[in-house]
Amino acid sequence: DGGITQSPKYLFRKEGQNVTLSCEQNLNHDAMYWYRQDPGQGLRLIYYSQIVNDFQKGDIAEGYSVSREKKESFPLTVTSAQKNPTAFYLCASSIGQANQPQHFGDGTRLSIL
Amino acid sequence: GENVEQHPSTLSVQEGDSAVIKCTYSDSASNYFPWYKQELGKGPQLIIDIRSNVGEKKDQRIAVTLNKTAKHFSLHITETQPEDSAVYFCAASGGGSQGNLIFGKGTKLSVKP
């Protein structure tokens, strides 16, 4: 079955530590996205990528970094500069960027130890 | 930029009743409006979408209506069932958002047996 796989499902970060969240898709989609979801909030865009080796900042990129070395993969690193990283992180992909349905993974919940 | 407001934030209905969730958007250039259903601990799942060249779209018990003049769109669920209980998100894209989706803050729907 085609889809988006996020791992791990739960992740714990120590103070001062960088952690990387994995996102893999086998839908052959060009565009990929990372969102942050906090309780009672909508989804806020962290980073997005329209094509391999290219990505752009979203609305809340500070304290995060990404790479897009392969079409299938779009890992997100939560750096120590992100002072409030506890949230539910969602990865999505779409055929193209503009005005297309996005398909989501089942998320990674990040907590601070 | 685009702003999407969603109401109500919580909605409780009896099984078999109808449920309506409303969203308004600010950017008149937006032209794509998806609705997502999110169950606890899962990623959002696309349930229906509409583009600005149509006013209404139906899929079994779910329908979406769009009023471009008033810049609002609504999700209608008829004959609700307990499994419809979830958080529903509306989104809008196009115009100044570079085709990225801008999400509402969600509606928690509870269907009581």
Side-chain angles (χ1 to χ4, degrees):
Chain A
D1 284 338
I4 300 178
T5 301
Q6 289 188 242
S7 62
K9 192 166 180 63
Y10 300 96
L11 188 57
F12 298 91
R13 195 192 89 169
K14 295 179 181 178
E15 292 288 340
Q17 186 181 41
N18 293 352
V19 292
T20 297
L21 285 60
S22 171
C23 178
E24 303 278 331
Q25 55 101 357
N26 60 3
L27 299 167
N28 199 32
H29 285 171
D30 286 315
M32 297 188 74
Y33 313 80
W34 275 106
Y35 293 91
R36 172 179 171 140
Q37 185 174 31
D38 294 285
Q41 300 288 320
L43 281 64
R44 293 185 290 167
L45 185 63
I46 305 172
Y47 268 98
Y48 62 100
S49 168
Q50 296 174 258
I51 199 168
V52 174
N53 293 323
D54 186 48
F55 48 83
Q56 287 81 39
K57 293 181 179 180
D59 300 321
I60 55 166
E62 186 174 350
Y64 300 97
S65 66
V66 293
S67 63
R68 187 85 187 278
E69 297 177 3
K70 298 187 300 182
K71 187 175 184 178
E72 303 79 20
S73 179
F74 191 40
L76 173 75
T77 296
V78 183
T79 75
S80 57
Q82 172 50 246
K83 297 307 179 188
N84 183 24
T86 298
F88 191 49
Y89 290 88
L90 288 160
C91 178
S93 70
S94 62
I95 291 174
Q97 184 204 352
N99 311 324
Q100 296 292 331
Q102 294 182 14
H103 302 266
F104 286 83
D106 278 339
T108 292
R109 187 165 298 281
L110 176 62
S111 302
I112 299 300
L113 285 177
Chain B
E2 175 67 279
N3 183 50
V4 176
E5 301 272 348
Q6 183 172 347
H7 298 279
S9 56
T10 60
L11 179 59
S12 183
V13 300
Q14 286 296 132
E15 183 177 359
D17 287 350
S18 295
V20 181
I21 302 170
K22 299 181 179 180
C23 288
T24 60
Y25 60 98
S26 60
D27 188 346
S28 57
S30 289
N31 54 21
Y32 175 63
F33 307 93
W35 284 90
Y36 288 87
K37 175 184 180 182
Q38 186 177 27
E39 297 176 343
L40 197 62
K42 299 280 191 180
Q45 183 177 26
L46 179 71
I47 55 172
I48 196 166
D49 57 7
I50 192 168
R51 297 189 184 273
S52 58
N53 57 345
V54 298
E56 183 176 1
K57 184 177 179 180
K58 277 187 176 182
D59 183 3
Q60 299 182 341
R61 296 186 297 109
I62 294 172
V64 57
T65 58
L66 171 65
N67 184 325
K68 287 190 294 183
T69 303
K71 289 189 284 188
H72 68 69
F73 56 112
S74 299
L75 178 71
H76 304 254
I77 306 174
T78 58
E79 301 172 23
T80 54
Q81 301 166 3
E83 51 265 39
D84 293 330
S85 297
V87 179
Y88 291 81
F89 291 96
C90 65
S93 82
S97 64
Q98 300 179 312
N100 289 324
L101 292 178
I102 307 299
F103 287 84
K105 291 189 176 181
T107 296
K108 183 175 182 180
L109 173 64
S110 300
V111 180
K112 298 181 179 179

